[in-house]
Amino acid sequence: MSEQRVATSKVAGTWAWAFQRISAVLLIVFLGVHLYAAHFMDVGAETGEEPLITFDEVSLRLDQLLYIVVDYGMLSMVLLHGLNGFRTVLFDFDMFVRRKKLIDVTLWVVGIGTLIWGIVILFPFISGAGG
Amino acid sequence: MKISSFKWLFGRNSEFWPTNMKTGMWAWVGHRLTGLALVAYVFLHLSFISTASMAEGGADFDALMETTSQPLFVAMDFLLVIVVIYHAMNGLRVVLFDLGVGIRRQKLVFWVTMAISAVLIVGGLLAIWHLVFPEGVA
Amino acid sequence: MYYHKILVIGGGLAGLRAAIESAPKVDTAIISQVHPVRSHSGAAQGGVNASLANNPAAKDDTWEKHAFDTVKGSDYLADQDAVEFMTKEAGPCIYEIEHWGCPFSRTDEGKIAQRPFGGAGYPRTCFAADKTGMYMLHTLWERSVKLNVPLYEDRIMVDLVVEGDAVRGVICLNMKTGELEQFMAEAVIIASGGSGQIYGRSTNALISTGSAQSTCYRRGVPLKDMEFVQFHPTSLFGTNILMTEGARGEGGYLVNNLGERFMSKYAAKAMELAPRDIVSRSIQTEINDGRGINGQDFVHLDLRHLGREKILERLPGIRDLAINFVDVDPIEKPVPIQPGQHYTMGGIDTDISGATKFKGLYAAGECGCVSVHGANRLGGNSLLDTVVFGKKSGQVAAEYVLGKKTTKEGEGAMNKCLRETKARIDGMLSRKGTENHSDIRAEMKETMIKKVGIFRDKPLMEEALANVRALKARFANITVQNKGKGYNLDLIRALELEGMLDVAEAIAVGALKREESRGAHSRLDFKERDDVKFLQHTIATYSPKGPVITYSSVKVTKYKPEARRY
Amino acid sequence: MAEGDLTLKVQRFDPTADKLPYWQSFTVKPRPGMTVLDALFEVLNHQDGTLSFRFCCRAGVCGSCAMVIGGKVRLACETQVAQFVGKGDLMLSPLPHQPVVKDLAVDYTHFFDRLKKVKPYLVGKEPYPEKEYIQSTKERQPINDPIDCILCGSCTSSCTMAWTNSDYLGPAALLKSYRFLADTRDSVPDERLDIIEGESGVWRCHTQFNCVEVCPKKLNPTEAIQKMKIKAFKRKLFGRRGTKK
Ligand SMILES: Cc1cc2nc3c(=O)[nH]c(=O)nc-3n(C[C@H](O)[C@H](O)[C@H](O)COP(=O)(O)OP(=O)(O)OC[C@H]3O[C@@H](n4cnc5c(N)ncnc54)[C@H](O)[C@@H]3O)c2cc1C
Ligand code: HEM
Ligand code: SF4
Ligand code: F3S
Ligand code: FES
């Protein structure tokens, strides 16, 4: 006979799950816009001749607030969704469940760090086109 | 006769492998692998752009983009498309189940989403092909 | 050595119910050979009787009518005070289980649904689809989890420790580790179920060997009315898996090879819903007279006219069983059935509170015999028996323990018994005989069903007794191949067989001595009931030379014995 | 080996003696209607008394005899051998990923421990009514399926989530939880949701459907789990009102 303890604490479970679904649906939208914008839309003067992504083209695009929102939004979604998913994977294993606190903190640090990094990366494009 | 570890892992009555493992299980394995691959990709993607974008005027970036039209990178892109589309479409399937839709017909739902994925993947691959080789392969 | 104030042997309905009753008052633990939810009670299909009067056709049903039906069904061998107690308690006990979660099927008003059953004047059998036993069993197990009743599973009781006139505890074999364990207690409630596996063609679970019952018997606890063995009319041909009486309750027909509903010849009024002994004999007569289907040993149970809807709603389990085991879908085809051994009316001799000859030793459920079933049990009355008398014995045992002044006596007896058991088991393991005990088992089953079966007569039963005694002699010469510890089925089955042979002997001797036909005991050489000589319970007491038979009187209160017609 | 005989390849393992499991072959002569359980008894009785396996009701209601038969988790007592004759050896092994007591008999302790965590009992509204609770046939509808679970353990032992996470309640326990959550007589839905929405509860299920595939009673734990996910989420959004059915 083992004691009947309640299975677990009620931590992020529900929200983590719900968030994974919501971010998933949003991601489909963002991804669609992102891919279309990045690869199939000509924002610049040049036409089909140069379909590849160029610095100038990206810069031009990122001149518009809409695309800044799309790209940053997408970045944060991808990070949250991806890392949250990674967290799920970890917690499917006994050994990681036991280190729950540590993992949660680490993932938040990694996530926010990467987000800042990603934001910084795009600065040259944004400012490059502006100046 | 001892059970070899190979058999233990993959044999007909393997202890390791789920025995009545069907579509739902494989769909999940695929989803998890693609999900993890995508996380890896995001970090690669970011570091790629960051190394390039830091340079003045974006010269490096354009050079980098040039290299990405190399066959190896194109192949990687192909893979990426497949992975993303599978993950997204199966993810959609999972979301449907979470909304309570189609649980009793999970196999049908799987094959329908996979059919859509197939169409999207073919479309995606063709699109890349045309982007990279607008005049066709020389 | 483990110690609990009360030990309940068996996690079936009776055991669980007893433990649930006593656990809140006195430290109680359950010991069971299998996990409680695996117990044989789970196989009960049809339902449980109580005069709730929920069915529109049973508006004026009362417990007195239930009592009368039970006494009449028992062929007047039941103790009528016990029957009255049981039928009065029936309602409250059923409501209690419902409150604890048992998912009974419902009437249109949302009350517990009831269906007609054999031998009953009204539709009085409460049911939950055709898995009543399973749902009740799970409910009681769940209740025991709620009450945190400690459970020792995978342990088989191999000896009973008695000292003087009191019980001290039990010795168990831990099936997982193969070790013998001592359990000391102030009171022991035996609820180990029936011993149907003594017979061939049994509907009982493979663990229904009565091992705890025979252990008690060997330690001096008398058995009562063992010759009364019920044969269920409808068990699947071949595997003898039960097709519930509910199938007939819902309106199923019995048909012979001529396509007749032959029950009209035997019980014109009740037809298929006559009591089990009568229907079984009728089917067997049809078969004996060559009117079995294709001349084989079975007739048909026809449900097709009930229609798909009703079969799916009321008898889904039956349908699955028929499909899985004989490949017949009752919606489309009639099901081949034959009578099979089903229930042991007899058992450990107890009084109305479940108490036995020994202080602190109680018995409840199928392994005991309060005597509410007499010579023939009505369908749906044994589940009732388990909960009513399970509860009662739990209560009484708790009171006994609370009123007891000294505790933890008898360590010496415990240790002595452990040594004896160990010697017995080691002896069995070291025997290097030529006999295979599973062959002996098969022969015993064959002997019992053929010679102490539905129809009995003196020469046949004498043969049977001689056979059983010969088998006992051969048993001394067996080998147990498996000398290992963990889950040693070979040893367990040998131990079970040893006990079953003793009980088989008691059955045969009791049956031989009862020179009358009463209920399930139907003799070709004594066709009439003899109330002058045999309105008595048979009591068999163990002796190394064979059972010593004595008789005790039947309690008759309101209902004077009369001829039994349906 | 004669024509029509069946070779059973049984996985043998005695944890106290063997380092690794091994296969052993036995040949049995199929009779009409013979089940895998019958075949095992044939071996036990006449060929090898040292074989161990679990059994009880032999009618598919007690849940003792689940094992891997010919690559699939099934109940030995419900599986006819005829379908395997002439198709090579019939492989028999214990439920996957369960501690083995011996040979085909596994240890269910952990399985029942998980089950006990979900409050597997009805907490009826008290005081109890004088007679029965009134529950219409329609109100009983949602529990019609889940009450049929025989606790055979096939599902939980086939769910890979339960393999790697020993805290995960698993489909059988979650189905049990749902059985009470959906019962109109139960009075503690919130306590139940508290348990199943923890990290080891419903969120560990990734809709693998292995549980559905293996269930010998054709139950659908996944559906129950998904419904509970929605219930738990609704409660998070709307507070206790979300618990109401
Ligand atoms: C197929 C079938 C259908 C039935 N249908 C109905 C019906 O519809 N209505 C009705 O009223 N009755 C029915 N009955 C009869 C009824 O099911 C049984 O009489 C009743 O369930 C017996 O319950 P029990 O608690 O006494 O024993 P069981 O449920 O048999 O439990 C016995 C317990 O004792 C344990 N045990 C046994 N020996 C030992 C030992 N040596 N050591 C430790 N533990 C031990 C076992 O593990 C088990 O837990 C049916 C019977 C059968 C065979
Ligand atoms: C494009 C749209 C996407 C959709 C619709 C989607 C959908 C989902 C869903 C529903 C889940 C939960 C699966 C489960 O619990 O069983 C999930 C998990 C996951 N996703 Fe996505 N996803 C998308 C994109 C991405 C991207 C871009 C990444 C990479 C960063 C990613 C990484 C992951 C990871 C790592 C998991 C966890 C895997 C698991 O739990 O098995 N996903 N996804
Ligand atoms: S849900 Fe099905 S597989 Fe799982 S324990 Fe219950 S009966 Fe067995
Ligand atoms: S197999 Fe496991 S992951 Fe979910 S759908 Fe069933 S519980
Ligand atoms: S023996 Fe009971 S389910 Fe198979």
Side-chain angles (χ1 to χ4, degrees), chain C residues 42-54:
Chain C
Q45 302 166 347
V48 50
N49 296 342
S51 50
L52 306 181
N54 284 350

Side-chain angles (χ1 to χ4, degrees), chain B:
Chain B
M1 170 182 38
K2 292 272 181 226
I3 297 178
S4 72
S5 36
F6 180 80
K7 256 206 166 136
W8 184 82
L9 282 170
F10 306 108
R12 244 207 303 156
N13 245 33
S14 121
E15 158 82 342
F16 178 76
W17 240 204
T19 42
N20 300 40
M21 197 153 93
K22 302 262 175 69
T23 31
M25 170 75 190
W26 291 116
W28 168 78
V29 169
H31 194 77
R32 173 149 290 189
L33 292 179
T34 50
L36 290 174
L38 284 174
V39 172
Y41 169 80
V42 167
F43 282 93
L44 275 178
H45 190 62
L46 282 178
S47 50
F48 243 63
I49 303 173
S50 72
T51 45
S53 71
M54 290 308 153
E56 193 51 37
D60 282 3
F61 182 78
D62 290 349
L64 191 73
M65 286 297 125
E66 273 304 322
T67 44
T68 56
S69 355
Q70 300 299 315
L72 180 69
F73 281 83
V74 176
M76 295 285 277
D77 276 357
F78 275 22
L79 207 62
L80 181 69
V81 165
I82 295 172
V83 163
V84 167
I85 291 179
Y86 174 80
H87 186 91
M89 289 314 294
N90 191 57
L92 215 55
R93 168 175 162 272
V94 172
V95 173
L96 281 181
F97 293 155
D98 288 328
L99 295 174
V101 180
I103 299 172
R104 293 251 166 189
R105 300 176 170 221
Q106 51 113 349
K107 285 184 191 167
L108 180 71
V109 176
F110 177 79
W111 291 116
V112 168
T113 46
M114 284 309 107
I116 300 173
S117 310
V119 172
L120 289 180
I121 288 173
V122 170
L125 295 189
L126 283 177
I128 297 185
W129 192 262
H130 283 296
L131 273 180
V132 183
F133 308 108
E135 289 93 30
V137 191

